[in-house]
Every structure is written in structure tokens, then in C-alpha cells.
Amino acid sequence: MTTAVDVRNLQKQYTMGSTVLDVLRGVDLTINHGEIVCVMGPSGSGKSTLLNIVGGLDRPTGGAVIVEGDDLATMDDERLADYRRHQVGFVFQSFNLIPTLSARGNVELPLVFAGLARSDRASQATAALESVGLGHRLEHKPTELSGGEQQRVAVARAVVNGPAIILADEPTGNLDTTTGNEILDVIKAMNAEGRTFLITTHDRAVAEAVAHRIVHFIDGSIVEIEQGGLA
Amino acid sequence: MRFRDLAFLVVSNLRRMKLRLALTALGVVIGTSAIVLMVSLGVGLQKSVVASLGDLGAATHITVMGGFSGQPGMPESEPLDDRAVARFEGMDNVQAVMPIVTAMVQDMTYKKNTTNMTVKGVPVDSLKAFGFEIAEGRLPRNDKEILLGDAVPLKLFDLSATENTNKAARLELIGRRIVATVVQYPTEGEVAKDPAAAMQEPVEERHKLTVVGILAPADVDTDSSAFISLDTALAFNGITTRRPTYETIIVKADSAETVAGIEKILTNEGFMTFSARTIQEGLKQTFVIIQVVLGALGAIAMIVAALGIANTMTMSIYERTREIGIMKAVGASNRQIKRVFLSEAAIIGVLGGVGGLVFSTAGAALANLFLQSMIAAQSNGAVSQPGTTTFFYIPLWLAIFAIVFAASVGLLSGVLPAVRAANLDPLVALRHE
């Protein structure tokens, strides 16, 4: 298996007044292509910070994150935006869809910023929505969709640009168990097509159901890596 | 991001804040209208004044007077005599030259009507070269004949009182004799010989002149003057020298564009000159200042409108902070975010600009109508063409400027909010509730 993401000695500190908080303390982690890695840990353990740094939404204080050969720590704002546009997809706990755009409009958004032609965007967004079982809800606004459907739209948006890795922060956190399981099934189906996922969760059942590997975080450090249900 | 997609994003964003958009754009409408109406008032007044200046004479004519030009360091000019006439005729871009002597005619009498008028002695042959057109009759051929300006029959001899039409009044005068009362004062030569001559009473002489022609309407001065031959005028004034000097010489340039150049040469030689064109140029500068001052007054309303746009955009960005975070998360660059918000601000400006232009165009038309009818009413019909005076005039450049300016104001007002939006930390934006 080839490496999709290589996290080396990753450090992140926050300064709050005179207090320095070590949120990540030298994290080393390799994620391979086609793998689902779940990061588990209590609130404040640093799992979301890891996700944000790998996603180019936050910058590390030290160490390196190598994605497809490029170190995110050395990228300026423009290159990071380009990285988010092409190399990474996000799925958030609270879906984060734009309310004025339809399901297809939301899925098209990354392609709009990538400058794709309208016809190409429409066909790719439709295909992505069909792959999450929403081919019949293309023109519906987020408020007209259930929570599970909204999260499926978010998954379709995350995969539509063909990213190297999809980052999901508590993707089932706002959903009931049945709907959450449906989302996990979508993720597994995507993974079966070769997509790579880094997922944070505090729900052990989720991690065991969907991960090849489960990484346990406590106080900004990896304390254990175990095999997940897909291994 | 493609332009079409940017436009779609911007329009869909603006559509969800219709009321706020309308109120903010209304501010720009008021600002644009204030500027357009103020500047159009300046332009309209300039237009009216410049149009009335057309009465001062043709755009190609330069009136040259002797003496000091008023320019520091310049010598006093050479005398305005036949040598000067010949020299002016030889200048580049000069088409014709006409010396003028004003005859010392105290008044003119036709039948029982006596009136004052300027009687000019000119080389009669040069009148045609200067574009004077004969409406009735012909040019004078000898020192007993006189040519009258267009307004003389009606206004000066008051023939309208006999209910004659203009044409009839003119025809009535052709071939008739009028009497010119000439007043002769002692000449400089006579005073030099005998200083006591200066104390003598002026001598009044009466000369009978036959009206042989009436000029077509020209400028105000020409219309109310009469023309006799140069020699007749000199004789009326008691000037018998072989090298007489003239009060003025009119120089005709080959085009309006060469007037300034000829004038410059003449003033450098110490002559005093004036032309309708240079007066217009001077007035143009004055009116530019007036327009700038009026525009600046109008701009105060635009500044308030700009603050309105900035406020609307700031509020909009605050409300859409989470959306900005989402856009950044899916790959929007700072530049793209900036462009979206700048475009929104610019569109508010353009909408306000177009609205302001429509409003001010209608306002200007109504104001012109109102003021013109007021003038007509006050002058009790004395103004011949009450509809021709323009108070507010919106030229094409002002219309284009208004929209470009409003768009620029929108754009500039949006800069700070847009930069703020672009520089938002995506994580902070995504956590915004």
C-alpha cells in the first residue's frame, strides 16, 4: 500500500494569555491509500486539531504533514486553498451546507472554486449525489432534507473533487443510530472504491464498524493503535 | 472561479437580503442624484452662458485693439494703421482683416424718429469676407450710402409701432434717406496749434445718407449697428491724415482652432485682443471650478451612501461568517472570497448609480420645465424662446461618470469588509453560530 498522508512529529501549541497549551505533542501517523483510520479520544485530546491540520484549515507549530509529496507546513494561504480544493474533502458533524444552494449546488461548490465548466460540474455533482443515494433529491435545499440526507450531501461534496483523503469530524455525531449507520455504509462503500478516510469519533462502535485502524489519542499524543473492524 | 459562477453566487447572495439591498441602494440613488443634479446644474448654466456668448461674434473673429496687452514685460503695440492691416493679412492662418473706425455719429433720424446707434466705418468690400450677409438691398458704393444692421429698422427706428412686419419695415427703409448727426471735436492737430481750440464747442453737422441695404441677423453688436465706408467715417471724424489709425481691426482666422495661436502672437506683440472663443475658454475654466464645487457638495450624500454600503456589507459578512468558513473549507481562496464580496458591493453601487441617474434625469427634466415656465410667466412673454434656457443638463459623460463613480464607491466601500471576510480564519468562521 502506498502512503496517502504522512504525519511526522506533529506539534501544535496554543497560547492563551501566559498559558501555553500543548494540543499535539509530536504525533507520528501514516495513512495509506484506501485506508480508513479512525481517531478516538476524549474531548480536548487533540483529534480534531489533527484533522484540521491535515485538512489545511489550521497550521502546525512544528513537524510536518506530507500529502502526496507536499509538506503542508511550508504552504502559503493560496497553496493551502488550492490543496483544500483538490486534495482533501471535509465532512463535518453539523453538515455545514450552504442553505441557499440546492443539494447539487452545494456539491458543485468545490468545483466552482476549481473553475470547472458548468456542464462538467453538473455531471460530476449528479454522479456524486447518485453515489450516496440522493439522485432524486438534486434540487432540494438543505432545509428540505433530513439530517441523514444532509450528511450524505456533505459526503458527496467531500468526494466530488476526487481528493487524496476525506476528513470526517464526528460524521455521525448529529445523527440517530440508524441514520448514522447509513452514513457509515456510504463511507464503507466509498472506501471500497479506493477512497481514503481519516475520521474522528468518540464512539467506539463507529470506529470498530468502519476503520481499518483505530488510533487512540490522549492529551495530544497517540497512546495506542489497534486494528478496526475492516482490517 | 468563472465570471458566470461569480455572478450567480453574487446574485443569489443579494437576493436573500432584498430589503437591505433596496435600502442601501437607495442611499446610493440619493448620493448619485445629488452629484448628477449639482454637476448638471453647472453644465446647464455653462451651456446657456456659452450659447449666449455666440452673440459676441463668430468663433473665428479676433478683435484687435492697440495699446498695452496687459501682459507684464510686453511692449506697447505698434499703431493700428494700414501697415498693421497689411501685416496681419500676411500672417499664417489669417483669412481676412477688417479695420473699423467708429464714426462720431450722435444720433440718426428717419422721418420723426431719432435714435442712437453705432455707425461703423469699414472697407465695404471686406464685409462679405467676414460673412456679413445682405438680407435686403446691396452694399454701399459711395460715401452717401449706408447699410443697416438687422435690428435697426424695427428696434431703433421703432417701425413696429406702425404695425409693419419686419420685412415690410426693412423694405420701407431701402432707398430712403436718414440723417446722421455728426459731432466733431477739435482734432489733436488743431489743439496742438492752438490750445484754446480745446475749449471750443463741438461742431454739429448733419449728413444725409441713403439706406441701400439691410444685413441678415448676426451677432447683437452687428444687428444694432450701421455701416458706412471707411473714408466716410474718417471724414465724419475729421481725420484727414494719409496714415490714419483705427480703433480696432478684426482679424478672421481660417478656423476656430487657429484663433488661439493668432491671438497669442498678437498679444505677444503688445496688442490687446479678444474673441468669443477665448472668452468661452476662460468661462469653461470657471465653470469647471463651479462644477467641481457643486459636485463636491453632492459628494457629501455619496459619502453617507458609501458608509451605508460598508455597513451593509459588514453586517452581511458577520451573518455569513459560517458560510465563508464553508467556502474556504471547500477550497475558496482569499482572493475568491474577496472577489465575491467586492462584486456584491459594486453591484449595490451600480444599482444605486443607475437608479440615481434615472431619478436625476427625470428630476432635471421636471426642474427645467418648471423653471422655464416660471421665467416665461415672469417675463410676461418677453422672452422670445422660453424653452431654450437649460438649467440642468446631463451630458453623456456625466451619465457614464455617475454610474462608474457609483460602482467605484460601492467597490471601495466593500474593500474593508471584503478584506475582513477574506482574512477570516476558516476554523473560527466554521465555529461561528
Side-chain angles (χ1 to χ4, degrees), chain B residues 262-312:
Chain B
I262 296 169
E263 265 200 281
K264 197 174 176 195
I265 294 169
L266 292 170
T267 50
N268 283 345
E269 290 177 3
F271 293 106
M272 212 186 319
T273 65
F274 85 84
S275 64
R277 190 174 169 81
T278 46
I279 291 172
Q280 282 177 0
E281 289 296 324
L283 274 173
K284 216 180 260 178
Q285 285 180 8
T286 310
F287 273 104
V288 164
I289 295 168
I290 291 172
Q291 283 160 28
V292 168
V293 171
L294 288 174
L297 287 174
I300 294 170
M302 202 56 153
I303 291 169
V304 178
L307 293 175
I309 297 177
N311 180 50
T312 297

Side-chain angles (χ1 to χ4, degrees), chain B residues 104 182-186 201-205 207 234-238:
Chain B
M104 288 181 181
V182 176
V183 181
Q184 279 193 2
Y185 293 88
E201 284 292 307
V203 180
E204 270 191 21
E205 289 177 0
H207 296 271
L234 288 169
F236 280 7
N237 294 357

